[in-house]
Amino acid sequence: MFMTVLREANLTMPAPTRSGREFAVRVSDRGRPAVRGGPVADRVVSLLFTTGIEEWRRGWRQTGGAPDREAIVSVNALTRGAAATTQVVPGRGIAYTVLGEDVGVERICEAVASHVADARGHECTVIVDDIEPLLAEHGSKGVNELLDGLRAGL
């Protein structure tokens, strides 16, 4: 099986996964391309660099509804400084992880990978809302590290 990684210039790069599961990873730069456009799996892991958790959840209404289950990893300015924590809301089909202020790319990849592992046995889509803040903070090396880490973890 293969997953698709969208880089800033809309370059599509196939990458084999070890598990044999089907994955799609969607990455946006300043909202382009629209990462929620098109079909999503019944399990979604959303990695948020610019969008707040509630704003992100409300945005699903504009695309026809939220996935059956969603895990959110929030590493944006709205949650920086908060203690790293994971909360699960089973009745709403959502789990979210808030990462602390000085989080590295490796920790981001670990958080995403842990949520993907929870979706074992299901098709899964990983969505990155906006890659630009990571690029500004860690440079192209950080972006490549994230994409490589996602690919390795999936």
Side-chain angles (χ1 to χ4, degrees), residues 4 19 26 36 39-42 67-68 71 76 78 95 100 102 109 132-133 145 153:
T4 302
S19 66
R26 298 177 186 173
R36 285 193 247 204
V40 295
D42 60 340
D68 292 341
N76 63 47
L78 299 173
D102 294 320
C109 292
E132 197 278 328
E145 184 181 340

Side-chain angles (χ1 to χ4, degrees), residues 64-82:
D68 292 341
R69 297 199 184 267
E70 181 177 25
I72 297 173
V73 177
S74 180
V75 289
N76 63 47
L78 299 173
T79 57
R80 292 197 180 221

Side-chain angles (χ1 to χ4, degrees), residues 89-152:
V89 186
R92 291 181 59 202
I94 183 172
Y96 57 92
T97 299
V98 175
L99 298 178
E101 187 172 23
D102 294 320
V103 64
V105 175
E106 184 176 323
R107 176 66 184 104
I108 295 168
C109 292
E110 289 170 1
V112 172
S114 72
H115 287 300
V116 169
D118 291 342
R120 190 169 294 131
H122 298 276
E123 185 178 336
C124 184
T125 302
V126 175
I127 299 176
V128 180
D129 72 333
D130 188 347
I131 204 75
E132 197 278 328
L134 183 69
L135 180 64
E137 188 171 333
H138 296 280
S140 61
K141 180 180 178 187
V143 171
N144 287 329
E145 184 181 340
L146 174 71
L147 296 176
D148 291 343
L150 291 177
R151 184 173 51 236

Side-chain angles (χ1 to χ4, degrees), residues 6-91:
L6 299 175
R7 292 196 185 241
E8 296 165 59
N10 294 332
L11 172 66
T12 302
M13 179 180 79
T17 62
R18 292 186 311 263
S19 66
R21 291 173 30 194
E22 187 69 37
F23 289 95
V25 177
R26 298 177 186 173
V27 179
S28 179
D29 176 27
R30 290 172 288 222
R32 293 178 299 273
V35 289
R36 285 193 247 204
V40 295
D42 60 340
R43 305 287 196 263
V44 172
V45 178
S46 300
L47 177 55
L48 306 180
F49 285 102
T50 60
T51 312
I53 294 171
E54 288 303 316
E55 177 187 358
W56 180 259
R57 292 290 293 168
R58 283 190 307 270
W60 283 114
R61 290 185 212 134
Q62 299 168 354
T63 63
D68 292 341
R69 297 199 184 267
E70 181 177 25
I72 297 173
V73 177
S74 180
V75 289
N76 63 47
L78 299 173
T79 57
R80 292 197 180 221
T85 184
T86 298
Q87 300 288 325
V88 178
V89 186

